[in-house]
Amino acid sequence: MATNGEGKQSQQIKHQEIGHKSLLQSDALYQYILETTVYPREPEPLKELREITAKHPWNIMTTSADEGQFLNLLIKLINAKKTMEIGVYTGYSLLATALALPDDGTILAMDINRENYELGLPVIQKAGVAHKIDFREGPALPVLEKLVEDVKNHGSFDFIFVDADKDNYWNYHGKLIELVKVGGLIGYDNTLWNGSVVAPPDAPLRKYVRYYRDFVLEFNKDIVADPRVEICQLPVGDGITLCRRLK
């Protein structure tokens, strides 16, 4: 049995990363990853935005710091220049991407809530990367439909990151597969959905987790059967599925 001191230490560890979504069994191990390889290399603007977002009542929606580091490196590895992000919130993953892109790189960013985006905008501006971002407020599907209508947009995006309404993931995919280039990547966030994808049907789950779980399960089943992409599901953050377009 843990002593009171150990219990307090465990509780403290669990909440040091606000919006903690790691699927690791041990909070201490997750904290080790953050303190050893993530925080020491986290750019100051990302740290500032992470701390601002921690005070927001919906901070669970933020991209975790380790996933932000992963996205930043991934953008550089594939030499992405033209990207898209569906679901922005306060902009942590958006800023991680913008910092990784070359100075003439671009991000088409979409979210239904501009107020949340503007919470992080001063940090993005101070970081000198706001000129890379084209922010659109409102539902993403109508924007995607317009993009698909113009054949010049087909295959024009190097990387697309989706962290939005899970019930529309497959609808997004139908449009995004036309817009990402052959060999380009689409990343779908939260595909392990708080670990609920393996929970029994009668498991006690938070209301929003239970509501979206079936959509996540259905998407996971559909994406693995799509011959247009090769995929890799990673237990980073809340689970991210990378899709590389084949044809």
Side-chain angles (χ1 to χ4, degrees), residues 67-168:
E67 187 172 2
Q69 184 186 60
F70 170 73
L71 292 173
N72 182 275
L73 182 59
L74 184 65
I75 294 294
K76 294 171 183 173
L77 286 172
I78 65 173
N79 294 313
K81 188 172 182 180
K82 184 178 181 181
T83 71
M84 182 191 303
E85 181 160 332
I86 301 176
V88 171
Y89 186 41
T90 62
Y92 189 88
S93 57
L94 184 66
L95 179 55
T97 298
L99 289 170
L101 289 172
D103 193 60
D104 60 345
T106 61
I107 312 171
L108 173 58
M110 290 169 270
D111 199 286
I112 59 172
N113 190 321
R114 187 179 186 92
E115 184 179 347
N116 290 336
Y117 167 65
E118 289 183 343
L119 186 65
L121 185 56
V123 179
I124 293 171
Q125 291 171 331
K126 188 166 64 173
V129 294
H131 66 283
K132 303 178 186 180
I133 300 168
D134 175 12
F135 180 84
R136 312 277 183 91
E137 182 180 21
L141 278 175
V143 178
L144 297 179
E145 287 166 1
K146 283 194 173 184
L147 287 172
V148 170
E149 286 174 6
D150 188 346
V151 294
K152 288 187 289 188
N153 294 318
H154 291 195
S156 66
F157 288 85
D158 303 308
F159 178 74
I160 300 170
F161 183 60
V162 184
D163 182 10
D165 42 336
K166 317 310 167 193
D167 46 337
N168 266 320

Side-chain angles (χ1 to χ4, degrees), residues 48 164 179:
E48 183 179 354
L179 298 171

Side-chain angles (χ1 to χ4, degrees), residues 1 145 206:
M1 180 179 293
E145 287 166 1
R206 284 169 287 180

